[in-house]
Amino acid sequence: MKKLIYLILTISLLSFACSEDYLERNSLTQLAEGNFWQNEQDALLGINGIYEVLQDRVMYSGNLNGTAGLPQHDSFADNTFNNYKFEGPGNFVEGRADPSYDFFNSFWASLYRGIGRANNALENIENIPAENIDAANKDILIGQVKFLRALFYFHLAVYFEDAPLITEFQTLEEAYVTKATYSEIRAFIEQELREAAAVLPVSYPASQFGYATRGAALGLLARFELYNGNFQEVVNLTSEIMGLGYSLHPDYGQLFTENAEQSPEIVFSVRFIQDQSDNGETFSSTFLGIPKVNVQPMPNMVDAYLAIDGLPISESPLRPCQ
């Protein structure tokens, strides 16, 4: 009897071992290529991953006592002084930084990480079955991806000029491509933003504040046209933006506080959740007991503020902000 039981058990184990269906199982708790990009919710999660790149320290999160992010780029000019020069801007303005400098490497890598995620999202969202995604929402999601991809390329164009123009998701074998010219990148950015603006909504429900809107696409395009000296187009674009419902915040002193996080003055904002691990901004952080000493305003930036009578403080009898 024991031999018979052992024989039955052995046959059962062999039958399980020979079953590929039994061994090939998708994870019930983790996302993978085989069980993702199936529906509208997957598409939304996918583009959230692109927005997440904007939270990088070298991007909009900024840093304290580390590689500088975009909020610290005023130190490249004469608005602020980068006291901790190793963060990047201080060494750059003193001519002690070259293209191999960590600041540029990190910025470049972050931008192309965002572009790679955007390319992957576009390719997969297009292939989601029509019955699994609302057509109008699909257009909006694609518009957001194109806005984000244009934003990444905007920074590449402004900071690096010539750069690889990658518009499709790459395999490892396809990873090395030659640089495109600034003119080619410029044309691509302008096309992306116009296509995004054509499908993006003017606004979202308050719970979705922070997703790219039509005003965000037109605003970035206007900024890029201004950079390129196309002033008449800047006038055209900003005139259209002014009709989308934006207005100045009623209390300037409140503008840079949490109470104004959804101000009607904001065209596009990068959102952070402080309660989540490694998902909080650092550009407003300071050391205990002392102000933010790594980036300090220069006198000419303070003097640039006009008094309430509209005159410079050097000419006005009034005190600034009085």
Side-chain angles (χ1 to χ4, degrees):
M1 179 63 70
K2 290 183 179 179
K3 291 182 179 179
L4 179 59
I5 293 174
Y6 291 153
L7 179 60
I8 293 173
L9 180 60
T10 302
I11 293 173
S12 298
L13 291 174
L14 288 173
S15 65
F16 281 126
C18 295
S19 173
E20 293 184 1
D21 291 340
Y22 180 79
L23 295 176
E24 297 294 332
R25 296 288 185 179
N26 290 327
S27 171
L28 299 178
T29 59
Q30 294 180 327
L31 297 175
E33 195 69 26
N35 61 6
F36 196 59
W37 299 114
Q38 302 297 315
N39 51 50
E40 186 171 323
Q41 183 60 30
D42 289 349
L44 182 59
L45 289 174
I47 68 165
N48 284 346
I50 310 172
Y51 281 100
E52 189 269 340
V53 176
L54 302 179
Q55 299 172 341
D56 285 359
R57 295 293 184 233
V58 76
M59 293 289 285
Y60 290 92
S61 172
N63 218 330
L64 181 67
N65 203 28
T67 302
L70 284 165
Q72 296 152 276
H73 285 199
D74 271 342
S75 294
F76 285 132
D78 55 0
N79 283 340
T80 63
F81 175 69
N82 178 215
N83 192 40
Y84 295 170
K85 298 175 184 178
F86 64 86
E87 293 180 339
N91 281 333
F92 177 82
V93 297
E94 291 185 353
R96 293 187 287 110
D98 59 34
S100 66
Y101 195 53
D102 178 65
F103 166 80
F104 298 110
N105 282 333
S106 299
F107 195 40
W108 177 279
S110 183
L111 293 170
Y112 275 106
R113 181 164 58 252
I115 290 168
R117 292 184 183 184
N119 290 338
N120 188 33
L122 278 178
E123 180 178 310
N124 284 284
I125 292 174
E126 290 284 8
N127 294 327
I128 294 177
E131 62 271 17
N132 292 346
I133 186 170
D134 179 82
N137 290 340
K138 179 179 180 178
D139 289 342
I140 292 173
L141 291 170
I142 290 175
Q144 291 186 59
V145 176
K146 289 189 173 184
F147 165 81
L148 291 168
R149 187 166 64 171
L151 178 58
F152 295 127
Y153 272 115
F154 165 83
H155 289 305
L156 282 167
V158 170
Y159 286 88
F160 300 97
E161 295 190 351
D162 297 348
L165 181 58
I166 303 167
T167 60
E168 296 179 353
F169 189 67
Q170 297 173 299
T171 64
L172 184 61
E173 292 75 20
E174 301 167 334
Y176 292 95
V177 297
T178 58
K179 291 182 178 180
T181 65
Y182 177 84
S183 297
E184 291 171 324
I185 296 176
R186 174 184 175 180
F188 177 77
I189 294 170
E190 292 173 350
Q191 178 182 341
E192 287 279 276
L193 292 174
R194 292 189 186 280
E195 291 179 358
V199 296
L200 288 174
V202 172
S203 63
Y204 297 90
S207 61
Q208 298 178 29
F209 185 83
Y211 285 119
T213 61
R214 183 180 306 165
L218 294 174
L220 181 59
L221 181 57
R223 182 180 178 187
F224 193 45
E225 295 290 10
L226 181 64
Y227 178 79
N228 288 300
N230 191 0
F231 303 123
Q232 183 55 55
E233 187 61 17
V234 174
V235 173
N236 297 338
L237 291 166
T238 52
S239 297
E240 184 176 352
I241 295 168
M242 290 173 66
L244 297 180
Y246 300 104
S247 61
L248 295 178
H249 196 78
D251 183 353
Y252 183 80
Q254 187 188 66
L255 186 58
F256 301 99
T257 69
E258 294 180 357
N259 293 327
E261 284 192 351
Q262 296 191 20
S263 168
E265 185 169 323
I266 295 174
V267 177
F268 178 70
S269 64
V270 178
R271 307 287 286 169
F272 295 87
I273 302 176
Q274 190 62 51
D275 293 337
Q276 299 296 315
S277 175
D278 197 26
N279 191 27
E281 56 82 11
T282 60
F283 60 81
S284 63
S285 58
T286 64
F287 294 104
L288 292 175
I290 56 176
K292 190 173 177 67
V293 293
N294 63 325
V295 177
Q296 299 172 320
M298 298 286 282
N300 61 291
M301 180 181 180
V302 178
D303 293 346
Y305 276 81
L306 303 178
I308 59 174
D309 58 4
L311 295 174
I313 59 173
S314 58
E315 301 176 16
S316 174
L318 304 174
R319 294 176 59 189
C321 302
Q322 186 172 350

